[in-house]
């Protein structure tokens, strides 16, 4: 079962209470392309910059969003295996991240998961402020698992 983009957006933005409270949005959800954002307002730390957990979250959720836009929910589910984030500079504005996966990679992952019951995929992206400055670099290893495994 493939979701419509509006159904996927609703899941990304509302199914995890923490992300909903943080104001996370998914303005772009396409097969092989995801953009997520989080506002500075409500996500600052004790010194007035964006909280590191909010930066981590805007990057981490891209793996689930990519799953929703690119894979069949009735056959597979995603798992986060590993996350890396490198903070480059303070975020003083809203932030966003864009990640992409080409069609050949989507097909490879589906084939491997169908044959072996699971397949890893990596998403990398720059978390940028509203001026396009890189505030953090994210790399996540996710796994697509066949239902029942």
């Amino acid at each position: 079962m493939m979701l419509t983009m509006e159904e996927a957006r609703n899941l990304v933005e509302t199914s995890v209470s923490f992300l909903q409270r943080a104001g996370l949005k998914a303005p772009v959800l396409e097969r092989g392309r995801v953009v997520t954002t989080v506002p500075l307002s409500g996500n600052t730390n004790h010194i007035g910059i964006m909280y590191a957990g909010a930066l981590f979250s805007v990057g981490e959720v891209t793996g689930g969003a990519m799953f929703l836009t690119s894979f069949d929910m009735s056959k597979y589910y995603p798992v986060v295996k590993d996350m890396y984030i490198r903070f480059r500079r303070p975020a003083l504005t809203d932030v966003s991240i864009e990640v992409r996966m080409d069609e050949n990679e989507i097909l490879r992952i589906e084939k491997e998961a169908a044959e072996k019951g699971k397949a890893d995929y990596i998403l990398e992206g720059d978390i940028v402020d509203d001026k396009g400055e890189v505030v953090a670099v994210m790399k996540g290893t996710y796994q697509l698992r066949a239902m029942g495994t």
Side-chain angles (χ1 to χ4, degrees), residues 100-119:
R100 293 178 180 261
M101 182 183 293
D102 70 33
E103 188 65 22
N104 288 335
E105 179 68 353
I106 292 169
L107 295 174
R108 178 203 66 81
I109 295 163
E110 285 179 330
K111 182 176 188 249
E112 186 176 323
E115 292 172 355
K116 299 179 180 178
K118 59 187 176 181

Side-chain angles (χ1 to χ4, degrees), residues 24 34-36 52-66 80-89 95-101 121-128 133-142:
L24 183 124
V34 169
V35 176
T36 57
L55 290 167
F56 178 88
S57 295
V58 76
E60 182 275 334
V61 76
T62 62
M66 185 67 74
V80 180
K81 287 185 66 178
D82 182 76
M83 288 296 302
Y84 168 83
I85 189 165
R86 180 168 187 264
F87 301 104
R88 303 273 312 269
R89 69 186 56 182
V95 297
S96 65
I97 182 172
E98 178 176 354
V99 294
R100 293 178 180 261
M101 182 183 293
Y121 61 99
I122 295 173
L123 294 175
E124 297 180 85
D126 293 335
I127 300 171
V128 299
E133 295 289 323
V134 177
V135 298
V137 176
M138 183 278 305
K139 179 179 181 180
T141 303
Y142 302 85

